[in-house]
Amino acid sequence: MPLTYAIGTPLTAVIMLAGIYYGAMYGGSTTSILLNIPGEAASVVTCIDGYQMAKQGRAGAALAIAAIGSFVAGTAGVVGLTFLAYPLATFALKFGPPEYFALTLLGLLLATFLSSGSIVKGLLMVATGLWLGCVGIDPVSGKFRFAYGIMQLSGWAGFRDDGHGALRGHRDLP
């Protein structure tokens, strides 16, 4: 946002960027409710109930619920962040490799056990994701991993991110 560099103070620029962000977060719910197309990733869940309300002729109510919910949640988030930012930052600075490993393991286990269907399919989904995540350039050393001399696999991360939403993991397995 080049405009934020010309604004008087850094505080004003941050407030403008926050306004743009909150507007984008709310704006994604409009297409989710009316067209069943999420405008951004956080609006995917809005497609489930919001579009059904729109099909029943209650699109105005769904949009009002989304607007009020966005305002209340945004306000609560800003107030909560105001009081909790310093203690959370202090706590986060104490994290080391064992804590990061534990959080990563917790995320993988939650992805396995909270997936619908069998645990074996959830484990396959996690293992496939980890396997595909290893292909490409190592972000620490810059060396190729599992590229086997194929230069096209060096940009694998872009395909991996795009394919993540398309594959949807274990739900497509028989």
Side-chain angles (χ1 to χ4, degrees):
M1 291 278 159
L3 183 62
T4 59
Y5 290 112
I7 294 178
T9 64
L11 179 64
T12 310
V14 169
I15 291 172
M16 178 183 166
L17 289 174
I20 292 170
Y21 173 75
Y22 284 123
M25 289 291 109
Y26 168 69
S29 64
T30 304
T31 57
S32 294
I33 292 169
L34 299 178
L35 303 173
N36 202 24
I37 301 171
E40 37 82 30
S43 300
V44 172
V45 178
T46 309
C47 290
I48 297 169
D49 291 330
Y51 185 67
Q52 295 302 320
M53 288 179 71
K55 283 182 13 181
Q56 296 170 0
R58 300 177 51 213
L63 289 169
I65 291 169
I68 293 169
S70 177
F71 172 75
V72 170
T75 304
V78 167
V79 169
L81 189 61
T82 301
F83 295 112
L84 295 176
Y86 182 75
L88 283 175
T90 305
F91 179 70
L93 287 174
K94 296 178 184 174
F95 267 43
E99 289 84 7
Y100 281 118
F101 175 77
L103 279 178
T104 303
L105 188 62
L106 175 68
L108 294 173
L109 288 174
L110 284 175
T112 300
F113 291 115
L114 294 179
S115 62
S116 59
S118 71
I119 293 178
V120 174
K121 288 183 181 180
L123 283 171
L124 282 173
M125 174 186 68
V126 168
T128 304
L130 287 173
W131 177 63
L132 289 175
C134 290
V135 177
I137 299 175
D138 181 20
V140 176
S141 67
K143 295 181 180 177
F144 290 107
R145 296 183 300 189
F146 300 109
Y148 304 109
I150 303 171
M151 291 304 295
Q152 287 81 3
L153 292 179
S154 66
W156 181 256
F159 171 77
R160 184 179 60 222
D161 295 339
D162 295 339
H164 179 260
L167 294 177
R168 292 185 354 201
H170 72 284
R171 291 188 202 170
D172 294 336
L173 294 175

